[in-house]
Amino acid sequence: MPTKITKAIFPVGGLGTRFLPATKSMPKEMLPVVDKPLIQYAVEEAAEAGITEFIFVTGRGKTAIEDHFDHSTELEDTLIKRDKNDGLAAVRAMMHTPGSVAYIRQQEPAGLGHAIWCARHYVKDEPVAVLLADDLIKPEQGGKGCLKQMVAAWQDKGGNMVAAMEVPRENTSSYGIITPGASHANLTEVKGLVEKPSPDKAPSTLAVVGRYILEPGVFAELDQMERGTGDEIQITDSLARRIGEAPFFSYRFSGTRFDCGSKLGFLQANIAYALSRDDLGEDITTWLKGLAL
Ligand code: UTP
C-alpha cells in the first residue's frame, strides 16, 4: 500500500438545494468567498497537502467548474495587453499540469458515497483524499490546511480518517456522528458511525466534516450500492462497515470550518476571510463597527 497520498476526489455533483435560487444554474462550488470560488479553496488545500491528481465528480450544469480550471485565452490576452499583471498572475497560478485534472459525470445525484464510487477507476489500490468544497476550512493564521494536518497524522495510522469537530447536540441530524473510542492528541478512534441521527439517538456530538482519507476497502463496500439515510448511497455507511477491518480515526483539525452550503455559513465565511485580508480587513472592520452602533 503506498504511503503517499497523491490523488483527491472533489464530489461536486450535489444539487445545492439549500442555496436556491443562486444554485439553479450555477454550481454551489463556484460561489465566491471574497474573490475566490469555494472549489478553488479546496483544490489549493489539496495541493498544499501534496495532492498532484485532482478528480472532480460533477453533474449536469457544472461545466463552469471545468472552465474555471482551464485557460481562458481571450481573457489572458486582454490582461497582457492591458498590463493587468496581478490578474494574469492570479489566473495563471491556478493552472495545473495538463493531464492532472479529471472530470467524471455522476449522472444522477444519488448521494456522496455514489459520487465517490464514480471515481473508482481513477483510484486503484491506493489511499485517496476526498474534499467537500462547501465545507470551507480556514486555517489558523500562518497554520496548515486541514488536509495537510490529516495527511501528517495518517502517516502513522493508515486506514480511514475523517475530519471531525464538536457540534451542538440539536444539530446532529445534519452530520455523520461518531461513536468515539480512545483519544490521543487530535486523534480519536472511530468505534461507530451513523449518518444524520436525531439528537436523542446521536452516540456523541463529534461530527464528521468534509475531509476524508479513504483506503481501498471502502470502494469495495461502495460497490454494494446500499442506500441509507435519505435513500442515498452514503459514504458514512461504507466507512462504518470497514470498522474492525482497517484502522479508523477521526482528526480534530485546527482551523475554522464554515458550512458554505448554508446561507449563514457562507455569509460568515465571507466576513471572516475579508477580515483577515490585508486589502479589505480595515475597511470591513470599520463598516462592521458602524453597523453595530
Ligand atoms: P450536500 O449534503 O451538501 O448536498 O452534499 P447538496 O445536494 O450538494 O446540497 P443541498 O443539501 O441540496 O443544499 C455534500 C457534498 O457532496 C456532494 C455535494 O456536491 C457536496 O459537495 N454530492 C452530494 C455529490 O457530489 N453528489 C451527490 O449525489 C450528493
Side-chain angles (χ1 to χ4, degrees):
M1 159 98 52
T3 52
K4 204 163 182 285
I5 303 170
T6 58
K7 294 183 180 174
I9 300 171
F10 301 86
V12 291
L15 295 177
T17 56
R18 284 172 295 156
F19 226 120
L20 286 166
T23 48
K24 183 163 176 259
S25 62
M26 183 183 73
K28 146 171 96 170
E29 297 79 9
M30 287 301 291
L31 289 169
V33 168
V34 185
D35 53 7
K36 205 193 284 183
L38 289 170
I39 189 67
Q40 195 176 334
Y41 287 95
V43 165
E44 288 175 2
E45 182 184 324
E48 181 208 9
I51 300 299
T52 51
E53 291 180 60
F54 305 84
I55 305 157
F56 294 78
V57 182
T58 74
R60 281 181 291 286
K62 301 271 181 170
T63 48
I65 296 175
E66 295 173 44
D67 292 339
H68 185 71
F69 290 103
D70 198 357
H71 280 293
S72 170
T73 43
E74 199 182 325
L75 172 68
E76 287 172 39
D77 288 349
T78 308
L79 292 171
I80 291 168
K81 271 188 214 133
R82 295 186 187 167
D83 271 341
K84 303 245 179 202
N85 296 326
D86 290 352
L88 188 65
V91 294
R92 289 203 168 153
M94 48 183 286
M95 297 305 301
H96 293 279
T97 317
S100 60
V101 186
Y103 297 91
I104 300 162
R105 285 279 193 129
Q106 191 185 0
Q107 296 175 335
E108 51 162 338
L112 176 58
H114 180 260
I116 293 170
W117 176 79
C118 287
R120 66 198 178 283
H121 296 305
Y122 288 77
V123 183
K124 296 270 155 45
D125 198 20
E126 59 193 303
V128 64
V130 177
L131 297 95
L132 307 188
D134 49 352
D135 267 341
L136 178 60
I137 301 177
K138 187 173 187 290
E140 305 287 356
Q141 185 81 23
K144 290 179 190 146
C146 179
L147 188 64
K148 192 174 169 106
Q149 298 170 43
M150 285 173 71
V151 167
W154 181 87
Q155 295 301 334
D156 291 337
K157 300 292 182 191
N160 292 302
M161 190 171 283
V162 292
M165 60 183 257
E166 290 291 340
V167 297
R169 185 161 277 277
E170 62 266 29
N171 294 348
T172 56
S173 59
S174 302
Y175 296 90
I177 300 290
I178 291 165
T179 304
S183 281
H184 180 65
N186 292 17
L187 291 169
T188 300
E189 200 180 341
V190 179
K191 295 279 196 191
L193 188 59
V194 53
E195 182 66 15
K196 299 188 169 69
S198 58
D200 56 317
K201 301 228 170 71
S204 76
T205 49
L206 187 59
V208 177
V209 300
R211 303 290 181 274
Y212 307 77
I213 296 174
L214 306 179
E215 44 86 31
V218 174
F219 285 87
E221 290 295 343
L222 286 169
D223 278 338
Q224 307 303 314
M225 291 285 114
E226 264 179 46
R227 294 200 175 236
T229 307
D231 200 32
E232 291 189 338
I233 298 162
Q234 302 287 356
I235 189 64
T236 42
D237 295 341
S238 288
L239 278 167
R241 288 198 292 272
R242 293 295 294 159
I243 292 170
E245 307 292 331
F248 189 0
F249 286 88
S250 66
Y251 181 85
R252 285 173 214 246
F253 54 92
S254 34
T256 310
R257 175 259 186 179
F258 297 95
D259 175 11
C260 290
S262 80
K263 292 167 196 173
L264 180 63
F266 174 74
L267 292 169
Q268 289 168 334
N270 267 287
I271 293 168
Y273 275 78
L275 283 171
S276 61
R277 289 257 303 234
D278 290 343
D279 57 340
L280 294 168
E282 218 176 290
D283 288 344
I284 194 86
T285 304
T286 310
W287 185 73
L288 285 169
K289 279 185 180 156
L291 280 185
L293 286 173

